[in-house]
Amino acid sequence: MTDRRNPRPVFLSLRALRALAAAFAVLGALASPLAHAEHADRDKPLNIESDHMSYDDLKQVNIFTGNVTMTKGTILLKADRVEVTQDPEGYQYATAYYKPGGPLAYMRQKRDGVDEYIDGWGQTIYYNGKTEVATLTTQATLKRLAGGTKVLDEIHGSVITYDTYNEVYTANSGADQVNANNPNGRVRATLAPRNATGANQPNQPGPAQPGGASKPAAAASKGDLPPLSPSKSIGNPRE
């Protein structure tokens, strides 16, 4: 009969202890919240200019038409027509439409912590202020630019979904992408190397020169900040 008042000590091998420690480390990582860059745009007021504005009380939607320009923090949206709604929680949603024969709807947003911008075009652009996801539809293009001018990445697709919070995107093919050079309407992408972002970084000291002087190094690119990341699916990170 076992004496429960004096239980036998349990001995674990070094391998078992390491495995147990690794398990607790994994559990701790799963329990901690994911780290995301903070975006201040969602808390900024929505400003809109247009040639005309109307309000549909039945649908609870504001309709702006004619050379519409919408800004919300660093977000810029330009289109011929923009419809804006707001849910009871205060989140705002905007759908931008192009005018047939005119320029495509256009959006721009600055990336956090780096001198880079995301530019997008499409016949329709839908921005969800709750999930911070932009969906560009038909003749969609997404570009990542250094300093707002130098194109680093360029994506073409029928539908491009860009998660501005996690900075990931998806792109789908479609019939609107069919042309002589792309008969199957496939997604096309040009991606710059990670160390060629073109973003500014403080100079690093170069090799020593005669007389003890150091040769200034050329401004290095911000390689510690990743480019846009392709994602198989877009969820609702803010929910």
Side-chain angles (χ1 to χ4, degrees):
M1 183 175 180
T2 303
D3 187 356
R4 296 183 180 180
R5 292 172 299 176
N6 297 293
R8 293 181 179 179
V10 178
F11 296 97
L12 296 176
S13 66
L14 181 59
R15 179 179 296 179
L17 287 173
R18 288 175 177 172
L20 188 61
F24 278 115
V26 171
L27 290 174
L30 293 175
S32 61
L34 295 176
H36 296 292
E38 280 296 326
H39 289 267
D41 289 339
R42 64 178 179 270
D43 300 321
K44 296 298 175 64
L46 187 66
N47 300 297
I48 302 178
E49 294 183 2
S50 65
D51 293 336
H52 180 74
M53 173 189 172
S54 62
Y55 178 69
D56 188 328
D57 186 60
L58 182 63
K59 297 181 179 179
Q60 297 287 298
V61 57
N62 291 282
I63 302 172
F64 302 85
T65 55
N67 300 313
V68 185
T69 299
M70 185 196 87
T71 59
K72 184 176 176 65
T74 69
I75 298 173
L76 170 66
L77 191 65
K78 291 186 176 182
D80 179 69
R81 175 188 177 97
V82 176
E83 298 181 359
V84 179
T85 60
Q86 182 169 296
D87 65 19
E89 296 177 85
Y91 292 105
Q92 296 165 324
Y93 309 84
T95 305
Y97 303 91
Y98 92 122
K99 183 178 182 180
L104 295 172
Y106 166 76
M107 71 163 287
R108 163 171 281 201
Q109 184 177 30
K110 187 180 184 303
R111 294 185 70 194
D112 277 0
V114 62
D115 186 21
E116 291 183 3
Y117 294 80
I118 300 298
D119 281 13
W121 293 264
Q123 290 190 11
T124 303
I125 298 177
Y126 172 68
Y127 182 76
N128 185 321
K130 185 173 184 178
T131 62
E132 300 183 50
V133 170
T135 304
L136 299 79
T137 305
T138 312
Q139 296 181 303
T141 299
L142 194 72
K143 295 182 180 182
R144 178 170 67 100
L145 303 98
T149 56
K150 181 181 178 181
V151 178
L152 302 175
D153 298 340
E154 185 169 344
I155 315 296
H156 297 268
S158 181
V159 178
I160 297 176
T161 306
Y162 176 54
D163 181 338
T164 67
Y165 184 74
N166 292 306
E167 297 187 327
V168 297
Y169 65 86
T170 63
N172 297 322
S173 59
D176 60 286
Q177 297 296 302
V178 173
N179 55 48
N181 297 320
N182 189 14
N184 296 317
R186 292 163 63 84
V187 171
R188 294 168 296 154
T190 302
L191 307 177
R194 181 174 178 177
N195 61 353
T197 63
N200 295 325
Q201 186 180 36
N203 290 344
Q204 302 294 328
Q209 299 298 305
S214 295
K215 180 180 178 181
S221 61
K222 228 169 190 176
D224 58 326
L225 289 168
L228 297 179
S229 302
S231 173
K232 295 182 180 179
S233 63
I234 294 293
N236 294 325
R238 303 297 296 163
E239 296 182 330

